[in-house]
Amino acid sequence: MSLLDAGHGVGAPRGFGKLLALNWPLLLLLTAVGCAGFLMLFSVAGGSLHPWAEPQMIRFGVGLVGMVAIAMVDIRFWRLMAPVAYVVSLLLLVAVDVMGFVGMGAQRWIQLGPIQIQPSEMMKIALVMVLAAYYHRLPVAKVSRPLWVILPLLLVLMPVGLVLEQPDLGTAILLLAGGGAVMFLAGVSLWYFAAAIAAGAGAVTLVLKSHGTDWQLIHEYQFRRIFTFLDPSADPLGAGYHITQAKIAMGSGGLAGRGYMQGTQSRLNFLPEKHTDFILTTLAEEFGFVGTASLLALYCLIVVFCVASAISNRDRFGALLTGGVASTFLLAFAINMGMVMGLMPVVGVPLPLVSYGGSAMIVLLAAFGLVQSAHVHRPRNRD
Amino acid sequence: MNGRGGAHEPAPRITRRGMMLLTLQAGVVGALGWRMRDLQIVQNEHFALLAEENRVNIRLIPPARGLILDRAGRLMAGNRQNYRISMVREQARDPEAVLARLATIIALPPEVQERVLKEMAGRPAFVPVAVAEHLSWEDVVRVSANAPVLPGVVPEVGLSRFYPDGPSTSHVVGYVGPVSESDLAKLEDPDPLLQIPRFQIGKTGIEAKLEADLRGEAGNQRIEVSAAGRVMRELGRVEGTPGKDLELTIDLELQNYAMRRMAGESAAAAVMDVTNGDILALASAPGFDANSFVFGIRTGEWNALLNDDHHPLNNKTITGTYPPGSTFKICMALAALEAGVVSPGDGVFCGGSTALGNRRFHCWKRGGHGRVDLRRSLSQSCDCYYYEMGRRLGPDRISAMAHVLGLGYAHELPIPAVATGNMPDAAWKKEKRKEPWTTGDSFNYGIGQGFTLASPLQLAVMTARVASGRAIKPRLVRRIDGVEVPVEPAEPLPVSERSLKAVRDGMYAVSQGGTAARSRIVDPAMTMAGKTGTSQVRIITAAERAAGVTANEQLPWNRRDHALFVCYAPYDNPKYAVAQIVEHGGGGSAVAAPIARDILLFALCGGLPPLEAYPPEQRKAIEEQRAAMGLAGTAPAGSDRA
């Protein structure tokens, strides 16, 4: 075990003690959000465990076990695995582009034996892992040197490019955000971020400008989503339907909502994708502002517990990893809520832990497994 | 120190950047929370309303159409249950098999099955598709009894219009039919009921004209629907207001009798209450069955109605106009007396014709009537007398009197296309024909030929006005929803009582030894006054006249003369007036007068009159005629009359 650093051994819990050392509040918060998801899936199915609530519960259970299992493994092992995870994910992304099949208008899945996997989901963890490992090894003094910034930037942009190719704008944004968060936490000079934001703004302008030309940079449907976001009322029964109906369902809930299973909009199928990307509308309709604000609070607590854990963790890899996962998680629910509430274009990001969908949830719980591992195996104080 | 060494040093914590990140994140969460509050609390009312609109559909409940009753409350147009069978695909599972099974229970031709399958395939699985309509109650019972093996088959019941005495009342009552695109285009009626597919609205007659009263107001049913339109449940229901019931002035028994009496002819009779203008019968033969139109008439039946040379679809009493012929002499006599161009005792010589320039105007009696006074001019219907009156009066005074008697303008009746007729004056001819009025025109005017046109209804009004001396207006609706339609008291005619008396006396003489002597009523309580008329529909040339006028019986039917008769009774206390026309019937005295008398007697007696009312020599013939009509013997006279 010469690879493992000595400092971690001191005072670290062993065996069954590791279970007790888990970040239990975090685990309970995740479970609480998961339960909110079961409730809503039960409701949108018209008060039935089928077809969504039961599979979701089983997957959540599997994911939770997986999370604890990952947490039990020393964080140093995961740090060593980071480059491997990244390379494998990247290769799979390439493979999806080459041989992936079309689902939901985007090539995202790859079939490995009996299971379908979504490499872009895996990449969300792998990218955070590899960047955290990178900055773990990189002396602090070199962090902002251009040469040492370009390498992580490439690590981020390669998968982002591949995911955009699929095309999956939502995941690309999440990858950028997760990678950016790790770099930010690692202490990369703020000037780089300022430059990146400026470049991003320029790129957006360029993309919008490209509309209708022969060098159009994003797909027509993505343009449509942007335009309908800007003015949903222009096409209320066409592309603007999602946004308009989502806002109606959200708004009609009021302070306390119509009551559980009493939501009319989602139950009567006015809402598209009511069990996946737009599940927040059902919650909003049935539990009102109280419900949505509570869910938001739960999400915030998860992020706060993670960031608190990150700040207090003297293991740089663990801290950066935790911060990166937390940031990705925050951005995921922020984008979903933002699009459902008409604050941003519909980009197809599910509501984490609540939306129906196996792969995303299991990957997310695995990421929190890493966060737990970092917590369990954090360097204990020598004094 | 190499890269790995960094981990050995006290690790640089990420506290500062971590706090910055938290702040940034707090900002994002704050924005989300603010938006939630904005959508769910601030704009809640707005979105709640939109949600309700999304979810709730209003379905109309068609109201029951108002009934149309006769003056005694007998049903003329009612609603009856229409049993239908619909089928829901998703409940049927195997629609083809279910339809085949259904076909063993009720009549269901293969082409209908095919249509149903096609219609179902083209619609959402939960939408009921009509399979069969107008089923008998027995059919519905059989289908219901077999419900377990007929999944998805739903018996339904709706209301549809029916006319118990269809063929005899259709001209007055009219009929309803499914609302059509062209109806919608021209109605400009915002009533949402019209949007119901195949909703029945009035197409002709009172059904059309009083549609607003009859239709009623839609009720509604608030139902919750899914985005795909599936009905989830009923949220509330407001029953509609049924249409208003109309009570007509028509006496259904009299109407039916008149129709039977005219059977086989192309004829029309209008019966009016002389005292108040109530129309007791508007019979136009042949009739047609309005019930055929309710669900859309079959092409074959429609063509048969259209091509019938007796024009069953025409409402001859109200929309048909005819030269009034000699019946117009009533108006002429009154005009002449009032204008002072003749007095009752003045004689006019009739030598069988009157010369005008190089033209000769013939009297119907070749040998002439000799000296004719007013009474004889009416009783013998002397043409030369009225050529002379025409000359003396000129068109404008004739036209003025015609209007006083209710001719030449359209009466207000709740039936579409009430005829105006034509009672021209000099200005009319100048405008329409671009020619000046000639004395020859006045001659023709004098005997109700030429440009003159009147409908049977107008002739009935004329007769009623002369009989009563008042400006009686025709009335067809007595009560609307039980509320009496007020009758304006009729003003006395601007005509002297002396003149009226002289004309009535002449009309009495018509039935007492005059042209209608054969059609007299012998019961002294029911003596009749009248006037015959025979109006030519062809021009008799001089050559033909020289060779002897062809008898009507030898002409093809559609070139024969129209037979007319107007009358009222009792003479001394007028109650009812009748105007009768038999198209191409021949002579008024021979053809029209007997029918008119029978109808008049029926009205006076409130049923079949006793044979004693007829001249003794005719009683046997009358009995035979009744037997042929299927009316047994003599009905009790004087049954109560509303």
Side-chain angles (χ1 to χ4, degrees), chain B residues 372-383:
Chain B
V372 179
D373 62 3
L374 185 93
R375 191 171 203 261
R376 273 197 79 217
S377 78
L378 285 169
S379 72
Q380 298 306 316
S381 200
C382 175
D383 292 336

Side-chain angles (χ1 to χ4, degrees), chain B residues 593-610:
Chain B
I595 300 176
R597 174 190 59 180
D598 287 353
I599 294 172
L600 186 59
L601 273 172
F602 194 99
L604 285 165
C605 298
L608 276 183

Side-chain angles (χ1 to χ4, degrees), chain A residues 38-339:
Chain A
F38 307 152
L39 274 180
M40 294 336 295
L41 289 172
F42 184 76
S43 172
V44 292
S48 162
L49 287 171
H50 294 281
W52 301 307
E54 200 183 83
Q56 181 88 340
M57 287 162 98
I58 291 168
R59 286 199 203 105
F60 188 83
V62 170
L64 215 56
V65 171
M67 178 176 88
V68 174
I70 291 170
M72 294 301 102
V73 178
D74 197 303
I75 190 69
R76 286 166 292 182
F77 171 77
W78 295 120
R79 191 179 77 218
L80 295 173
M81 290 305 293
V84 179
Y86 181 82
V87 170
V88 168
S89 299
L90 198 64
L91 289 175
L92 286 176
L93 270 180
V94 174
V96 162
D97 274 3
V98 175
M99 53 169 254
F101 75 90
V102 175
M104 301 285 285
Q107 295 184 342
R108 293 173 190 178
W109 302 94
I110 194 164
Q111 193 80 32
L112 275 191
I115 51 163
Q116 280 182 330
I117 56 167
Q118 206 171 351
S120 59
E121 290 291 339
M122 290 171 61
M123 183 50 94
K124 279 188 214 158
I125 312 184
L127 179 64
V128 169
M129 281 171 79
V130 81
L131 287 173
Y134 172 81
Y135 283 111
H136 179 83
R137 295 181 64 121
L138 190 70
V140 177
K142 294 183 178 172
V143 161
S144 286
R145 298 224 184 118
L147 189 69
W148 300 104
V149 171
I150 287 173
L151 185 62
L153 206 56
L154 281 177
L155 289 175
V156 174
L157 290 182
M158 274 192 299
V160 165
L162 285 169
V163 167
L164 273 180
E165 189 65 22
Q166 286 184 350
D168 182 355
L169 190 59
T171 305
I173 292 173
L174 290 180
L175 286 174
L176 271 178
V182 175
M183 292 172 76
F184 180 85
L185 288 171
V188 173
S189 169
L190 290 178
W191 289 112
Y192 287 105
F193 290 95
I197 289 167
V204 167
T205 318
L206 197 66
V207 163
L208 290 180
K209 277 266 165 63
S210 78
H211 183 230
T213 66
D214 46 5
W215 48 277
Q216 188 164 304
L217 292 170
I218 58 176
H219 282 252
E220 190 59 41
Y221 85 91
Q222 288 168 325
F223 269 119
R224 262 205 312 280
R225 282 179 174 178
I226 294 170
F227 296 143
T228 34
F229 155 67
L230 292 174
D231 184 11
S233 58
D235 185 14
L237 290 175
Y241 185 81
H242 285 50
I243 296 174
T244 310
Q245 293 298 334
K247 276 163 74 175
I248 289 175
M250 289 284 300
S252 67
L255 179 67
R258 290 179 191 270
Y260 186 52
M261 311 262 290
Q262 303 300 311
T264 58
Q265 299 301 293
S266 42
R267 291 164 57 73
L268 300 175
N269 284 331
F270 286 103
L271 283 170
E273 316 255 342
K274 59 183 178 185
H275 60 294
T276 58
D277 291 1
F278 282 82
I279 196 162
L280 181 71
T281 54
T282 307
L283 178 82
E285 211 194 348
E286 299 190 351
F287 293 105
F289 179 72
V290 173
T292 51
S294 302
L295 182 68
L296 186 61
L298 282 177
Y299 279 139
C300 287
L301 279 175
I302 289 172
V303 173
V304 166
F305 268 92
C306 285
V307 175
S309 164
I311 288 175
S312 65
N313 197 337
R314 280 179 309 168
D315 174 39
R316 196 160 160 80
F317 175 73
L320 291 174
L321 177 81
T322 306
V325 169
S327 296
T328 310
F329 179 72
L330 177 128
L331 218 69
F333 76 74
I335 288 177
N336 178 276
M337 287 180 164
M339 76 184 191

Side-chain angles (χ1 to χ4, degrees), chain B residues 362-512:
Chain B
H362 292 268
C363 185
W364 66 269
K365 194 168 181 182
R366 280 199 99 171
H369 290 100
R371 185 184 175 279
V372 179
D373 62 3
L374 185 93
R375 191 171 203 261
R376 273 197 79 217
S377 78
L378 285 169
S379 72
Q380 298 306 316
S381 200
C382 175
D383 292 336
C384 290
Y385 185 89
Y386 288 98
Y387 297 145
E388 180 58 23
M389 293 306 125
R391 188 213 314 267
R392 292 184 189 175
L393 283 165
D396 293 2
R397 286 192 283 191
I398 302 173
S399 174
M401 181 54 73
H403 282 80
V404 165
L405 294 180
L407 303 171
Y409 64 93
H411 293 280
E412 272 177 48
L413 278 181
I415 287 187
V418 176
T420 308
N422 192 25
M423 290 296 150
D425 54 16
W428 174 88
K429 193 177 177 200
K430 189 116 195 144
E431 195 200 319
K432 297 282 172 182
R433 301 288 164 111
K434 314 286 178 217
E435 279 171 18
W437 191 270
T438 65
T439 310
D441 292 333
S442 293
F443 276 30
N444 279 330
Y445 212 159
I447 58 164
Q449 295 277 163
F451 306 121
T452 58
L453 286 172
S455 68
L457 173 79
Q458 287 174 322
L459 294 177
V461 171
M462 174 187 80
T463 311
R465 287 187 178 185
V466 169
S468 66
R470 295 178 170 274
I472 301 295
K473 287 179 188 156
R475 185 175 79 141
L476 199 47
V477 180
R478 271 180 108 204
R479 296 202 183 102
I480 296 178
D481 235 14
V483 180
E484 198 84 29
V485 175
V487 197
E488 292 170 53
E491 298 291 316
L493 293 175
V495 174
S496 75
E497 190 58 33
R498 261 190 65 221
S499 307
L500 282 169
K501 260 205 167 111
V503 173
R504 288 177 197 147
D505 178 52
M507 288 173 73
Y508 179 63
V510 169
S511 68
Q512 306 298 321

Side-chain angles (χ1 to χ4, degrees), chain B residues 17-78:
Chain B
R17 284 294 173 99
M19 294 313 286
M20 281 170 75
L21 191 69
L22 265 186
T23 314
L24 216 68
Q25 291 171 339
V28 170
V29 169
L32 290 175
W34 170 82
R35 177 67 170 178
M36 275 176 191
R37 187 185 153 272
D38 181 51
L39 278 179
Q40 297 188 268
I41 295 176
V42 179
Q43 297 194 59
N44 167 241
E45 244 172 80
H46 168 66
F47 286 118
L49 188 72
L50 290 178
E52 194 71 4
E53 282 174 8
N54 251 348
R55 161 178 90 99
V56 176
N57 248 2
I58 306 288
R59 276 207 183 172
L60 292 173
I61 308 174
R65 197 170 171 86
L67 306 177
I68 301 180
L69 308 166
D70 87 335
R71 63 187 299 117
R74 287 174 287 234
L75 195 65
M76 296 176 82

Side-chain angles (χ1 to χ4, degrees), chain B residues 455-617:
Chain B
S455 68
L457 173 79
Q458 287 174 322
L459 294 177
V461 171
M462 174 187 80
T463 311
R465 287 187 178 185
V466 169
S468 66
R470 295 178 170 274
I472 301 295
K473 287 179 188 156
R475 185 175 79 141
L476 199 47
V477 180
R478 271 180 108 204
R479 296 202 183 102
I480 296 178
D481 235 14
V483 180
E484 198 84 29
V485 175
V487 197
E488 292 170 53
E491 298 291 316
L493 293 175
V495 174
S496 75
E497 190 58 33
R498 261 190 65 221
S499 307
L500 282 169
K501 260 205 167 111
V503 173
R504 288 177 197 147
D505 178 52
M507 288 173 73
Y508 179 63
V510 169
S511 68
Q512 306 298 321
T515 51
R518 275 190 55 228
S519 301
R520 68 188 184 281
I521 298 171
V522 295
D523 185 333
M526 296 187 279
T527 46
M528 177 177 78
K531 181 72 196 79
T532 55
T534 303
S535 71
Q536 261 169 235
V537 292
R538 68 203 168 98
I539 293 163
I540 301 175
T541 59
E544 188 188 340
R545 200 174 289 279
V549 177
T550 318
N552 255 311
E553 294 71 43
Q554 281 146 20
L555 285 169
W557 178 77
N558 62 2
R559 296 197 59 211
R560 292 180 199 168
D561 297 338
H562 292 322
L564 292 100
F565 191 65
V566 298
C567 56
Y568 68 87
Y571 168 63
D572 44 5
N573 179 27
K575 267 182 142 155
Y576 300 113
V578 176
Q580 176 73 49
I581 180 165
V582 181
E583 285 186 354
H584 311 296
S589 57
V591 181
I595 300 176
R597 174 190 59 180
D598 287 353
I599 294 172
L600 186 59
L601 273 172
F602 194 99
L604 285 165
C605 298
L608 276 183
L611 284 173
E612 290 70 46
Y614 292 95
E617 72 278 9

